Amino acid sequence: MNETELIEAAKAGDRNALGRLIKQYEQTVYNFAFKICRDREKAENTMQETFLSMVKSLHQFDGNSKLSTWLYRIVSNHCLMQARYSNKYQFVDVETEDSLFDDRYLSDSSKIPWKEFENNELRAILDKAISKLAPDYRVVFLLRDVEQLSTEETAEATNLSVAAVKSRLHRARAFLRNELEKEMSK
Amino acid sequence: MDVTVTCKDVMSHICDSLGEELQSPKCIAIRSHMDSCDCCKNYFDSVEKTIGFYRDYKIVMPEEAHDRLMKYLDMCDCDPVGQE
Ligand SMILES: [Zn+2]
């Protein structure tokens, strides 16, 4: 059975088909959830909630978008909601930060020292930088640049306009780039 | 079409190989600016590299997480793992 057939079978109540769909997407969903929340326990919890939503509402899936985009949307919504509840974190407000595109990042002296980092060290730097980014910017960056969805699919998964996706993407990229420069220059 | 771009435009509107429509006048102007501006080229490369780091950062789901998921969904009876 191909994916469309699996979805149709699962909608008609075939639990084995449903099981195979879940198996097919669990790693993708887990990975994406981890990238947003940077925490294994939260990622697993999000994955469980995501597939529970999928089981409950697969009958509403109309096939106009890809199943993966549909799942990304559920993960994004879940993570964003969680982030709003736990508002204890202070995120950098990249919306108002004009210095994001400051000329100083263009000077020759401002090259990132891309030295060889230990894997753990590099991961710590990447985790720290992305954690400072407000969750809704993080989600756009991850969907578009890391998972490589199209701008339209990203807009669909986040309920944002295409223009809003683009402007968030530019700011998120600039912010992360500048953070890596700061951290790697230390 | 005559579009002038500054370094700042390039920074705040990186497109091209990063996936935006290649044909827009703005993107064409940005590309030709970058061809002759080393600073912007460096900047562009560093953004691409940043994205590359995040793409390479992969996490493997532990096997037990699959079992816990099937249990959570009450679907252990139709778990495709081990049925083959
Ligand atoms: Zn320039």
Side-chain angles (χ1 to χ4, degrees):
Chain A
M1 273 197 266
N2 64 28
E3 184 174 298
T4 316
E5 289 163 349
L6 277 178
I7 293 170
E8 283 314 311
K11 276 175 156 181
D14 180 343
R15 284 165 55 83
N16 284 314
L18 189 59
R20 282 173 61 190
L21 282 174
I22 291 167
K23 179 74 193 130
Q24 203 166 313
Y25 283 104
E26 62 186 11
Q27 176 69 53
T28 307
V29 166
Y30 179 87
N31 238 301
F32 182 59
F34 178 85
K35 285 172 188 168
I36 299 179
C37 55
R38 321 307 287 188
D39 178 281
R40 280 186 178 273
E41 202 180 312
K42 280 186 193 155
E44 184 167 342
N45 180 268
T46 300
M47 176 183 71
Q48 293 176 345
E49 294 303 323
T50 298
F51 284 113
L52 186 62
S53 300
M54 174 182 145
V55 170
K56 279 188 191 157
S57 55
L58 189 65
H59 64 278
Q60 290 170 7
F61 178 71
D62 55 14
N64 286 332
S65 56
K66 289 189 211 152
L67 183 60
S68 56
T69 310
W70 195 69
L71 289 171
Y72 280 129
R73 183 209 289 262
I74 302 177
V75 178
S76 304
N77 285 341
H78 188 257
C79 290
L80 291 177
M81 223 152 59
Q82 264 191 339
R84 272 174 213 131
Y85 278 125
S86 59
N87 227 342
K88 55 188 174 183
Y89 301 107
Q90 211 53 53
F91 302 112
V92 178
D93 185 4
V94 290
E95 190 56 60
T96 56
E97 215 185 302
D98 247 356
S99 62
L100 218 52
F101 303 112
D102 203 281
D103 279 346
R104 71 192 144 112
Y105 295 121
L106 284 175
S107 70
D108 260 345
S109 57
S110 156
K111 277 188 202 146
I112 302 183
W114 305 111
K115 51 187 173 192
E116 286 299 312
F117 284 93
E118 292 284 328
N119 211 1
N120 286 341
E121 202 183 354
L122 178 62
R123 288 191 166 206
I125 291 174
L126 296 174
D127 280 343
K128 190 175 166 195
I130 204 164
S131 300
K132 288 187 192 167
L133 198 55
D136 40 346
Y137 284 79
R138 209 185 300 168
V139 166
V140 167
F141 172 77
L142 290 169
L143 284 172
R144 181 69 188 82
D145 276 343
V146 179
E147 304 297 320
Q148 304 186 65
L149 267 65
S150 71
T151 307
E152 288 71 23
E153 286 166 340
T154 305
E156 197 190 315
T158 52
N159 292 321
L160 289 168
S161 68
V162 165
V165 165
K166 284 185 185 175
S167 95
R168 277 166 200 235
L169 186 63
H170 291 144
R171 289 180 167 271
R173 284 171 177 167
F175 175 80
L176 291 172
R177 183 236 165 253
N178 299 351
E179 284 297 310
L180 291 201
E181 178 183 330
K182 244 192 287 176
E183 287 299 319
M184 292 182 169
S185 307
K186 270 181 188 168
Chain B
M1 188 165 216
D2 187 30
V3 184
T4 42
V5 295
T6 62
C7 294
K8 201 165 179 132
D9 288 331
V10 174
M11 294 174 85
S12 57
H13 197 97
I14 284 184
C15 36
D16 283 346
S17 63
L18 294 181
E20 270 170 60
E21 62 273 26
L22 297 153
Q23 300 314 327
S24 81
K26 188 111 187 170
C27 281
I28 291 169
I30 281 175
R31 237 179 325 170
S32 73
H33 172 109
M34 271 203 309
D35 281 342
S36 55
C37 178
D38 281 342
C39 292
C40 280
K41 226 180 283 173
N42 282 339
Y43 183 80
F44 182 85
D45 287 345
S46 65
V47 172
E48 274 202 319
K49 190 134 191 186
T50 298
I51 294 170
F53 277 137
Y54 281 103
R55 266 187 207 158
D56 292 341
Y57 187 151
K58 291 206 170 74
I59 282 282
V60 177
M61 190 184 87
E63 257 174 57
E64 313 84 72
H66 168 80
D67 300 336
R68 288 192 288 266
L69 174 64
M70 292 323 248
K71 205 172 279 173
Y72 182 77
L73 299 173
D74 200 13
M75 285 183 59
C76 295
D77 56 316
C78 44
D79 187 345
V81 175
Q83 274 186 17
E84 277 94 53

